[in-house]
Amino acid sequence: MTTGSPIRLSVVVPLYNETQTLPELVRRLGAVLDGVEGETEVVLVDDGSVDRTAELASEAVDRDPRFRLIRLSRNFGHQIAISAGLDAVVGDAVVIMDGDLQDPPEVIPDLVQRWREGFEIVHAVRVSREGEPRLRKARAALFYRLLRRLTDTDIPADVGDFRLVDRRALTAFRTMRERNRYIRGMFSWVGFRQTTVGYAREARYAGESKYPLRKLAKLGADGVLSFSNAPLRLALRLGFAISTLAFLFAA
Ligand code: UDP
Ligand code: MG
């Protein structure tokens, strides 16, 4: 891509019961995209919300031609909602961001800048996290570091799903159709020229986290099981140890 050429930038936002944050998201994201050179589109993905999220989203679509809406038939979860959006975008690059404004839209120009410099994947790294319980922050920090020790894939720590991805990397990503998806790991694995941009993670704008411990544990397990064979090795060793003991016992 040559600098200054007209570009198309897509943004994918997964939404689950975000009635309280959606109007502010549309406002702030719209304002940021006003300042981005070239055509832009926003693909809102309603992940089976049971509140008025879909209604508010379709109002945004009616008002602003840059917005599109995908409605999933039920709640499939964050990672599948993102994947549905990524399958639909038409841009030369796509930004993935949460819909609760914890990923500030104002960081998008920084991501685009690095992309224009030639990077194909630009991960947004949380250099600080506002307004989250200390336990949750500590747990996340520990998990990211543990996963890094268990895997050969260089998955940067403190990186969520907030990132920019060039069309070429997106095409490669789209061939990976695994059902249990740990998207942040998949984008690290896929290669290409990658870099990071630091940002201050804000507090959720309104409402509560849509990631209860159960969903978080599943995401963590998907990360470990997809990117490390340590659990498999552990199970094998345990199996050997138990059968050896049983053998000795029988003898
Ligand atoms: N989300 C989703 N489906 C779900 C759970 C969450 O699409 O089943 C969306 C949610 O609306 C938000 C993003 O995924 O835009 C991240 O969720 P949340 O902010 O609740 O997670 P946290 O930041 O607390 O980890
Ligand atoms: Mg959040």
Side-chain angles (χ1 to χ4, degrees):
M1 200 199 64
T2 49
T3 312
S5 64
I7 55 150
R8 282 189 307 181
L9 181 72
S10 304
V11 181
V12 166
V13 190
L15 300 164
Y16 180 56
N17 295 345
E18 298 289 6
T19 311
Q20 286 171 283
T21 66
L22 190 53
E24 181 65 7
L25 172 83
V26 169
R27 192 188 67 72
R28 265 172 69 180
L29 184 55
V32 167
L33 295 182
D34 287 343
V36 171
E37 207 186 311
E39 265 179 68
T40 55
E41 68 163 352
V42 179
V43 176
L44 301 172
V45 184
D46 172 44
D47 185 16
S49 298
V50 292
D51 66 357
R52 294 182 56 235
T53 298
E55 202 181 309
L56 293 182
S58 56
E59 279 170 30
V61 171
D62 292 341
R63 272 196 313 271
D64 187 334
R66 293 175 298 185
F67 282 75
R68 294 166 60 198
L69 171 62
I70 295 176
R71 293 184 65 176
L72 302 189
S73 56
R74 65 168 171 87
N75 178 235
F76 284 91
H78 185 211
Q79 302 288 292
I80 290 187
I82 290 174
S83 304
L86 290 177
D87 281 342
V89 294
V90 297
D92 301 316
V94 55
V95 171
I96 306 161
M97 58 179 284
D98 286 351
D100 61 353
L101 293 168
Q102 282 203 280
D103 301 335
E106 293 74 20
V107 177
I108 291 176
D110 298 347
L111 302 177
V112 170
Q113 175 59 32
R114 302 298 278 169
W115 174 50
R116 284 183 173 281
E117 288 166 14
F119 291 99
E120 285 144 324
I121 298 184
V122 188
H123 309 277
V125 184
R126 305 157 179 171
V127 292
S128 64
R129 289 173 86 133
E130 286 295 319
E132 280 180 85
R134 199 175 281 167
L135 180 70
R136 187 168 172 162
K137 281 199 269 195
R139 202 170 57 200
L142 188 71
F143 172 77
Y144 287 127
R145 278 148 193 90
L146 181 74
L147 182 62
R148 282 184 66 80
R149 290 198 68 144
L150 290 180
T151 171
D152 296 332
T153 306
D154 186 16
I155 306 175
D158 306 323
V159 170
D161 288 308
F162 191 18
R163 60 171 53 69
L164 178 145
V165 179
D166 177 81
R167 168 63 53 184
R168 289 200 333 134
L170 180 65
T171 302
F173 173 87
R174 278 184 181 171
T175 65
M176 301 162 74
R177 302 313 299 183
E178 32 267 79
R179 187 188 306 191
N180 296 306
R181 306 170 77 80
Y182 187 69
I183 292 178
R184 50 202 82 168
M186 291 162 69
F187 277 121
S188 302
W189 182 85
V190 83
F192 299 95
R193 275 161 293 173
Q194 308 201 356
T195 190
T196 56
V197 161
Y199 78 105
R201 186 149 166 97
E202 291 179 9
R204 172 174 256 286
Y205 176 74
E208 289 180 352
S209 170
K210 308 302 177 313
Y211 251 104
L213 194 56
R214 176 180 52 82
K215 280 187 183 174
L216 213 54
K218 157 119 182 29
L219 182 68
D222 285 344
V224 173
L225 293 171
S226 312
F227 290 94
S228 162
N229 57 15
L232 184 66
R233 284 202 311 267
L234 185 73
L236 272 177
R237 276 199 212 122
L238 221 69
F240 272 125
I242 289 171
S243 59
T244 308
L245 277 176
F247 187 74
L248 288 177
F249 200 65

